[in-house]
Amino acid sequence: MAIRNIRELGDEVLTKKCKPVTEMTSRNRELIEDMLETMYEAGGVGLAAPQVGVLKRIVVIDVTGEDPYILINPRIVESSGEQTGQEGCLSLPGKSGQVTRPNYVKAVALDVNMREYELEGTELLARAICHEVDHLDGHMYVEKVEGPLQDVTNEDEDA
C-alpha cells in the first residue's frame, strides 16, 4: 500500500469523466487500498480515483473512521430531502463552502468482488456519496457553493 498524491483544483484530471471498471484486477485492488490509505492519511471521509490521478469510476468513503465503503461504478438511483452545510474537499485543502445536497441518497455500486449492492445514506454519508460521484463525472463541489469559499484549518467534512 502507498499514499498517493492528491490532485488539487486546477489539475485537468479533475475535470474529466471517468471510465467504468469492467473487471477486478490486482492493479484495481492496489488502487483501492492506496486510496483508503491516502484518504485516512489526509483526514478525509471520501476519495475518488481521479483525485489520485486515475480516471476510473472508483470511490472510497468512510464517515465513521472504521467502516469503509468501496463503490465501483456507483450511480445514484434515488434521493430525497435537502440539507445545506459546510463541505470541503481533499482536492481543495484549507477551504470549505456552503452546499445544498439531498439528505437521503440510495446508490447502486459494485463491491471489490464485482457484486452489485445498494448503499443508502443520510446526512454526511448522503453528502459524501453525492460529492464523490460528482468527482467521477469531472465536477467539484465549488460548482455548487452558495456564497464565498471560507478558509478552514481542519474541516471534519472533507470528502
Side-chain angles (χ1 to χ4, degrees):
M1 292 194 328
I3 294 174
R4 298 195 183 202
N5 290 329
I6 297 174
R7 305 295 182 95
E8 295 188 6
L9 181 65
D11 190 313
E12 192 176 299
V13 74
L14 295 173
T15 66
K16 298 190 180 299
K17 190 169 175 116
C18 295
K19 294 178 176 69
V21 175
T22 57
E23 65 179 324
M24 183 52 61
T25 63
S26 59
R27 288 185 68 174
N28 286 336
R29 285 186 191 278
E30 180 180 350
L31 171 63
I32 291 165
E33 291 300 319
D34 290 355
M35 287 173 62
L36 286 166
E37 188 172 348
T38 302
M39 176 186 70
Y40 290 132
E41 176 70 20
V45 298
L47 190 68
Q51 291 181 273
V52 293
V54 179
L55 291 173
K56 293 184 179 183
R57 297 188 75 78
I58 299 175
V59 164
V60 297
I61 295 173
D62 188 349
V63 297
T64 65
E66 54 195 43
D67 189 22
Y69 296 104
I70 288 88
L71 293 88
I72 300 167
N73 302 334
R75 61 188 202 285
I76 295 170
V77 296
E78 191 178 322
S79 65
S80 64
E82 190 175 274
Q83 61 170 310
T84 300
Q86 288 299 112
E87 191 165 318
C89 181
L90 295 175
S91 291
L92 188 57
K95 300 285 184 184
S96 73
Q98 235 8 42
V99 177
T100 299
R101 301 265 191 195
N103 196 51
Y104 164 82
V105 169
K106 180 192 287 186
V108 174
L110 302 175
D111 65 16
V112 293
N113 297 310
M114 301 299 282
R115 287 191 295 255
E116 189 173 278
Y117 75 103
E118 288 183 353
L119 175 61
E120 294 180 278
T122 60
E123 299 172 356
L124 180 56
L125 181 54
R127 179 177 295 277
I129 293 167
C130 292
H131 180 111
E132 301 308 335
V133 169
D134 279 354
H135 273 301
L136 301 180
D137 292 323
H139 299 288
M140 287 185 63
Y141 85 102
V142 293
E143 298 169 31
K144 300 179 185 302
V145 169
E146 303 157 13
L149 287 174
Q150 299 170 344
D151 291 322
V152 293
T153 53
N154 187 6
E155 182 62 51
D156 288 341
E157 291 188 19
D158 280 3

